[in-house]
Amino acid sequence: MPSPQKTTDFHDDRPVVRPTRRDEVAAAGSELIGGPVGRWARLGGSSLTPVRVVALVAIGMFALGMVQKLPCYNWAWFRGAASQYTHACYSDIPHLFVGRGFSDGLIPYFDRFPGDMQYLEYPVLTGLFMQVAAWLTPGGGDLQYREQMYWMVNAGMLLVCAAVIAVCVARTHRRRPWDALLVALAPAFALTATINWDLLAIALTAAAMLMWSRGRSLAFGVLLGLATAAKLYPFLLLGPLLVLCWRAWKWREFALALLGTAGAWLAVNLPVMLLAPEGWKRFYVFSQERNIDFGSFWLVFTQRFGVDIQVEAVNTYAIVLMLLACAGIAALALAAPRRPRFAQLAFLVVAAFILTNKVYSPQYVLWLIPLAALARPRWRSFLVWQACEVVYFTGIWMYLVYVTTEHKHGLPPDGYHFAVALHLAGTLYLCALVVRDILRPDRDAVRQDGSDDPSGGVLDGAEDVFVVGPAAARRAAAAGPRAAGPRAAGPRAAGPGAAGPGSAGPGAAGRGAEG
């Protein structure tokens, strides 16, 4: 007889969830292509599966983002700073081709280049990505042509990353592949995809979450370690995973994930760490020494009130705020009436990092888009948040026009502060809705069809073992007088037959009306 865990891992016999049947905004948007799928429509007779459609849409939107960069590609990157801001088409890629020595054949981390930075200020795997693109860039022509070709080569490599992200998100929730259209159609995704190299880390993180959803803990850890070797933020996902595995008592799986993460990160970093220690540590030193910068609430606070906060102090304050946010997320995860989904907590912890950080570059929104699609696949709230991010995307460039032009054209500080506030409010709004879904699982779109945690892997359908607060009291009451003693909040709080309002089974409290 199969175990309950095994039966919850496979729902291929159940129909695919169609957003046009469950989301009024998705239904209204589908009118552009003929409206929602009809009751008698024949499905499955085409080679265009949902995953392929999502991948093609993602590629198309990425191409539109490249078109948006055309004014800069043709001339604005090479004709002074203000022009690339006026057309909102700035990218780090062509500038760092020259500024970090790739145009001169310098090797990142090993070769020093002129200027204050001296060594490449990116993690090792991103540096390798940049170097591979430099090797693939044609060597003939003048410097401007080589910069253009370097951006084009990087755009091609990042396009592959974008397709990987879309496919992984579509496959993570087996019965909800169409939710990945939130990623593919996200306006901020198209606008920011080629500003920097973030898509590499995001693709590895999306692949890691896909592996975890399939119960492959070690593969998840290896991919997450590689993602952390490309960008620092992916390691934050280990925090939510620790708390969820604690609640479900899945310590072996968490240990494998942690081992894989540490091993993969070391495998990539250790050679550079040993052979070029000064170049390797530049990223970490720069992260510590970097002053308050664009997009953060710290910048708005210091500019509005004329307060000068030293970099050491803001580092400390940001760490304390992040730790408090993580403590709150952990408490929420352990005390929620039903164990939160992995994607929900992953979104919250990365959002907390973004909100408390001393800098918010426009492309950082890319970190959240796949997590938001998995955490809360609701079109209305997603588009509200995206609208806030598009306003910020416009605001940062117009503010840079203001500070780089002699006659102060563009957006003045007050307008820029409003754009930053809108970005913060939009992110907090989505966080609040995710928290509400955790506290009221009947409003969670993913759980309304009886699913538990499709991205949870071994956590999907697993029994709660460690809970605290009101959830522990409810479980103890449901289990009977023998379980109501002082150990109700510990690992013996729920036996194999325990059930109640806090149960994490796939049929528990997830079938309410849509919120």
Side-chain angles (χ1 to χ4, degrees):
M1 180 177 179
S3 67
Q5 175 59 40
K6 291 294 182 185
T7 59
T8 59
D9 281 346
F10 301 98
H11 299 312
D12 292 344
D13 57 327
R14 294 196 287 168
V16 169
V17 173
R18 302 182 198 131
T20 54
R21 295 274 185 89
R22 294 171 174 266
D23 190 301
E24 59 184 16
V25 176
S30 70
E31 296 295 338
L32 295 172
I33 55 172
V37 175
R39 179 179 178 184
W40 303 105
R42 294 182 61 185
L43 302 175
S46 169
S47 59
L48 286 178
T49 63
V51 174
R52 291 174 182 173
V53 170
V54 166
L56 289 173
V57 172
I59 290 170
M61 288 294 289
F62 188 96
L64 287 177
M66 293 178 66
V67 171
Q68 190 265 337
K69 299 294 186 289
L70 273 180
C72 280
Y73 179 86
N74 289 330
W75 62 277
W77 285 331
F78 319 105
R79 300 293 186 273
S83 298
Q84 58 191 335
Y85 303 144
T86 303
H87 290 83
C89 54
Y90 173 85
S91 173
D92 287 324
I93 294 172
H95 299 301
L96 295 190
F97 176 66
V98 176
R100 298 301 179 264
F102 293 103
S103 60
D104 297 323
L106 301 183
I107 302 299
Y109 313 110
F110 291 87
D111 293 334
R112 189 193 301 263
F113 51 78
D116 294 336
M117 195 65 67
Q118 297 186 338
Y119 294 101
L120 185 66
E121 73 279 21
Y122 285 86
V124 169
L125 203 58
T126 296
L128 177 61
F129 189 94
M130 299 163 74
Q131 181 61 64
V132 169
W135 285 332
L136 295 175
T137 300
D142 59 15
L143 182 58
Q144 177 177 325
Y145 171 77
R146 293 170 61 205
E147 288 181 79
Q148 291 171 320
M149 289 300 99
Y150 184 67
W151 181 84
M152 190 63 73
V153 169
N154 274 280
M157 295 167 66
L158 293 171
L159 173 59
V160 175
C161 294
V164 169
I165 293 165
V167 170
C168 289
V169 173
R171 290 185 176 277
T172 296
H173 288 178
R174 291 176 185 270
R175 296 187 55 237
R176 303 184 63 95
W178 293 113
D179 289 343
L181 281 177
L182 291 163
V183 178
L185 291 172
F189 195 100
L191 291 171
T192 63
T194 56
I195 290 180
N196 203 279
W197 293 269
D198 295 62
L199 286 187
L200 171 62
I202 297 164
L204 289 167
T205 304
M209 293 192 70
L210 175 61
M211 290 298 101
W212 181 263
S213 74
R214 298 297 191 262
R216 299 175 63 179
S217 306
L218 185 59
F220 163 83
V222 169
L223 287 166
L224 194 70
L226 294 176
T228 306
K231 203 78 178 176
L232 189 60
Y233 86 91
F235 92 94
L236 294 171
L237 270 62
L238 289 173
L241 205 60
L242 168 64
V243 179
L244 292 173
C245 288
W246 184 6
R247 180 159 173 166
W249 221 246
K250 299 290 184 182
W251 292 113
R252 177 181 177 276
E253 289 78 6
F254 178 78
L256 283 173
L258 183 61
L259 180 65
T261 302
W265 185 89
L266 279 172
V268 172
N269 281 270
L270 199 57
V272 182
M273 193 187 308
L274 295 176
L275 298 175
E278 289 299 315
W280 174 83
K281 71 180 182 181
R282 181 67 240 176
F283 164 69
Y284 301 96
V285 172
F286 174 69
S287 298
Q288 287 294 310
E289 294 178 346
R290 188 173 188 175
N291 285 313
I292 294 171
D293 214 331
F294 296 115
S296 68
F297 81 90
W298 301 102
L299 180 71
V300 175
F301 179 79
T302 55
Q303 289 186 346
R304 297 291 291 182
F305 299 101
V307 178
D308 183 22
I309 306 178
Q310 297 298 315
V311 64
E312 295 83 4
V314 77
N315 287 340
T316 302
Y317 298 152
I319 290 172
V320 169
L321 287 177
M322 182 61 187
L323 290 175
L324 290 174
C326 290
I329 294 169
L332 174 68
L334 292 175
R338 186 172 174 184
R339 186 175 59 252
R341 293 187 290 108
F342 177 36
Q344 291 175 318
L345 294 191
F347 173 82
L348 290 177
V349 74
V350 176
F353 181 70
I354 283 175
L355 291 169
T356 59
N357 203 4
K358 60 186 177 182
V359 58
Y360 178 73
S361 298
Q363 72 273 10
Y364 287 3
V365 67
L366 295 170
W367 305 356
L368 287 177
I369 289 175
L371 297 176
L374 295 172
R376 195 171 201 277
R378 293 284 199 184
W379 281 89
R380 177 180 285 110
S381 55
F382 185 87
L383 291 176
V384 168
W385 169 57
Q386 282 292 288
C388 295
E389 293 296 335
V390 170
V391 171
Y392 177 74
F393 175 84
T394 305
I396 176 63
W397 306 127
M398 294 303 102
Y399 177 65
L400 285 170
V401 171
Y402 179 85
V403 299
T404 56
T405 55
E406 182 180 353
H407 299 292
K408 300 300 180 184
H409 299 297
L411 190 66
D414 286 346
Y416 178 62
H417 295 165
F418 175 78
V420 174
L422 202 60
H423 141 67
L424 296 171
T427 306
L428 286 170
Y429 162 73
L430 203 55
C431 289
L433 292 178
V434 171
V435 171
R436 187 190 67 175
D437 290 346
I438 291 172
L439 295 176
R440 296 188 57 185
D442 58 297
R443 302 188 72 120
D444 183 356
V446 174
R447 284 177 160 165
Q448 285 176 352
D449 62 1
S451 298
D452 179 36
D453 186 1
S455 62
V458 295
L459 300 169
D460 186 22
E463 187 180 11
D464 276 345
V465 178
F466 185 90
V467 288
V468 297
R474 283 193 294 268
R475 290 189 62 82
R482 293 183 62 185
R487 291 188 295 182
R492 298 181 182 272
S503 174
R511 301 189 178 95
E514 289 192 70

